[in-house]
């Protein structure tokens, strides 16, 4: 029997691959995808059963297009996970910190390690398209004065030596990942539900939409506005709340929301992650 | 007397430079900055009186860090403008569309011209750090088979020939720019106000915060959640509304908001742009 195929964006050793193991288990077959578009096509065409999608980072904010992709491809969110982002400096086994003159990584990762990099002004930070890609490039290069900033998984994937662990400026650096699929998945216990809705651009419209949750003591855990991409300055609101889609008060809240919003779609109902 | 110095991010010919002329007049002295951090430092240290900051695009959404920079540097928003983003294909005067094998631009710009690029599969799109930078590189290169996608201003800045105008997939492609400064600026007439606030992570907290506007018929034009960067999954809400900061109902709304939110800051009050 084949192992479950789980698509992720990036090269082997990406943070998304780490999230794939957390979300879908160690025995999966990870399917690396060049871009998010490829990832969503891979799930949509059935070449992978699940996909791992970063949607939000506690420092940088929303990974905007991924919310829209989930909506556009009509996929279901079946699980969530909050992964702590640990950036490590890594080089070939023979390299020491002293020898390094250039360090390669994704611009966001370089930005998140600014304090560390300031302490070593002779190391020049160089932007690279991907953290794991930078690790691979360093492992394949003949140069002995370069390093990469990437995940611990990337170090083991490419046989690199971790010179410094956890060099990120802020430790509250978490990324929230969704596991998405063409089909929803039954489960028991506490749940979270993700929806998206749009209201007319009228005074108080959003307030009235949020009333359907507040009046029923439903706890919103995220609200995010994204351009609708249909009309300038019209928004979709991506909202997550604690509750099961089959609960009475949730059903009533969504029916109430449909009276107010001209567009409502449930993106998924999935187990509430108890530990962050 | 010296001309007013206005800082913008990017190379000469960037969309932000175009916005600088719209927001501060044709007679300014534009000051290009390598990064947004440099831009905010340039204003903060008085090397430029104003800065032009993109904050939101109608297709892509928020330019996230810029909202945080305005907050962190304690600057005032003194004007806003919505600029239509027109992408043009440009090359050296001797180049024709047939000869082009590679086109350089910022990944977001390439992504926004996907339909056009699909019609010319023999032209390879290549990511570059900046649209105007791509135009400059093309103008300086000896290659005769490359082009750039950038603004009309970039074409005239670098003496390039516009091969195709307005090749973006969607015409509702607008970017909202703020003019920011260390000092606020008096003005008459209709206004918009930008604030940021934070509420405790309790059920209904955001609903109660929005009530202070809804109960006074104050029209919100934007609400955007951004990570607070102090605690994971705690948010700042960036809110814009129609109204002057010295209006009675606005003063009362903000006083009411301070009862509910544990953090409230006014980022600026500026003339309402009448035409979009």
């Amino acid at each position: 029997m084949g192992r479950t195929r789980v698509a992720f964006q990036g090269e082997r050793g990406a943070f998304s691959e780490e999230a794939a193991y957390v979300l879908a288990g160690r025995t999966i077959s990870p399917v690396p995808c060049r871009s998010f578009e490829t990832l969503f096509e891979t799930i949509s065409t059935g070449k992978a059963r699940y996909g791992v999608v970063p949607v939000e980072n506690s420092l940088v904010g929303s990974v905007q297009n991924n919310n829209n992709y989930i909506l556009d491809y009509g996929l279901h969110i079946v699980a969530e996970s909050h992964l702590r982002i640990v950036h490590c400096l890594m080089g070939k086994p023979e390299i020491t910190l002293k020898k390094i003159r250039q360090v390669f990584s994704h611009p966001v990762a370089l930005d998140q390690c600014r304090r560390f990099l300031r302490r070593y002004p002779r190391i020049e930070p160089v932007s690279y398209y991907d953290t794991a890609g930078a690790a691979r490039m360093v492992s394949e290069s003949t140069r002995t004065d370069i390093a990469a900033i990437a995940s611990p998984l990337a170090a083991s994937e490419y046989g690199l030596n971790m010179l410094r662990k956890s060099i990120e400026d802020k430790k509250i650096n978490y990324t929230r990942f969704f596991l998405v699929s063409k089909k929803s998945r039954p489960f028991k216990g506490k749940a979270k539900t993700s929806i998206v809705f749009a209201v007319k651009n009228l005074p108080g419209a959003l307030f009235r939409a949020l009333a359907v949750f507040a009046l029923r003591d439903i706890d919103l855990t995220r609200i995010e506005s994204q351009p609708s991409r249909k009309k300038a300055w019209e928004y979709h609101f991506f909202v997550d709340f604690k509750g099961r889609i089959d609960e009475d008060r949730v059903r009533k809240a969504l029916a109430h929301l449909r009276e107010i919003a001209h567009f409502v779609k449930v993106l998924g109902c999935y187990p509430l992650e108890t530990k962050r």
Side-chain angles (χ1 to χ4, degrees), chain A:
Chain A
M1 233 184 68
R3 292 183 297 166
T4 309
R5 289 169 61 84
V6 180
F8 69 95
Q9 189 274 325
E11 304 234 7
R12 294 301 302 263
F15 286 105
S16 287
E17 184 181 348
E18 214 177 304
Y21 297 128
V22 173
L23 281 162
R26 285 275 148 194
T27 60
I28 57 162
S29 167
V31 182
C33 300
R34 208 173 34 84
S35 67
F36 283 115
E37 212 185 350
T38 314
L39 179 149
F40 282 92
E41 283 296 328
T42 301
I43 307 161
S44 190
T45 55
K47 284 179 206 148
R49 184 150 158 207
Y50 297 110
V52 164
V53 184
V55 284
E56 197 183 1
N57 174 275
S58 59
L59 292 178
V60 181
S62 160
V63 186
Q64 297 160 338
N65 273 332
N66 285 346
N67 289 303
N68 287 326
Y69 275 131
I70 295 170
L71 172 64
D72 293 348
Y73 279 87
L75 297 179
H76 297 269
I77 302 164
V78 298
E80 69 163 343
S81 183
H82 298 81
L83 193 73
R84 176 131 120 71
I85 301 301
V86 176
H87 290 304
C88 300
L89 183 76
M90 55 193 70
K92 287 190 172 182
E94 65 271 25
I95 312 267
T96 58
L97 189 54
K98 265 192 182 167
K99 288 189 194 159
I100 300 168
R101 291 293 168 269
Q102 284 189 319
V103 60
F104 292 79
S105 196
H106 191 278
V108 170
L110 292 172
D111 194 54
Q112 292 182 346
C113 301
R114 218 184 289 169
R115 210 178 303 152
F116 174 84
L117 292 170
R118 249 186 238 139
R119 267 193 283 146
Y120 300 93
R122 61 180 169 69
I123 304 181
E124 184 201 355
V126 185
S127 292
Y128 208 72
Y129 69 95
D130 184 44
T131 55
R136 190 176 75 164
M137 185 275 287
V138 166
S139 77
E140 289 170 354
S141 166
T142 54
R143 285 179 61 183
T144 58
D145 62 347
I146 57 173
I149 292 175
S151 72
L153 187 65
S156 69
E157 179 70 34
Y158 299 111
L160 294 176
N161 183 27
M162 279 204 267
L163 293 157
R164 287 287 184 283
K165 279 183 200 172
S166 195
I167 58 167
E168 66 279 3
D169 293 346
K170 296 193 179 184
K171 305 304 170 198
I172 61 156
N173 190 349
Y174 289 85
T175 296
R176 183 177 181 214
F177 290 89
F178 280 149
L179 188 70
V180 298
S181 179
K182 283 212 276 186
K183 280 188 188 168
S184 61
R185 198 161 80 161
F187 67 96
K188 282 178 182 159
K190 290 195 173 174
K192 219 163 163 181
T193 299
S194 292
I195 64 164
V196 55
F197 67 84
V199 285
K200 291 237 165 70
N201 201 352
L202 294 170
L206 177 62
F207 174 72
R208 276 195 296 276
L210 295 185
V212 312
F213 304 105
L215 294 172
R216 291 171 181 90
D217 289 326
I218 294 172
D219 188 6
L220 304 192
T221 55
R222 172 180 69 143
I223 175 165
E224 204 185 295
S225 59
Q226 291 295 333
S228 74
R229 298 166 298 158
K230 275 162 199 148
K231 205 176 154 194
W233 319 117
E234 284 217 345
Y235 297 92
H236 281 156
F237 293 95
F238 289 82
V239 164
D240 299 346
F241 55 85
K242 288 183 189 165
R244 289 185 72 99
I245 196 77
D246 50 12
E247 253 174 86
D248 193 43
R249 59 175 193 146
V250 170
R251 266 206 311 262
K252 281 177 180 153
L254 292 180
H256 189 176
L257 182 61
R258 286 192 182 92
E259 293 174 39
I260 294 160
H262 60 81
F263 166 69
V264 180
K265 192 170 193 280
V266 175
L267 299 174
C269 180
Y270 44 92
L272 177 71
E273 209 195 18
T274 46
K275 218 179 140 198
R276 279 185 178 175

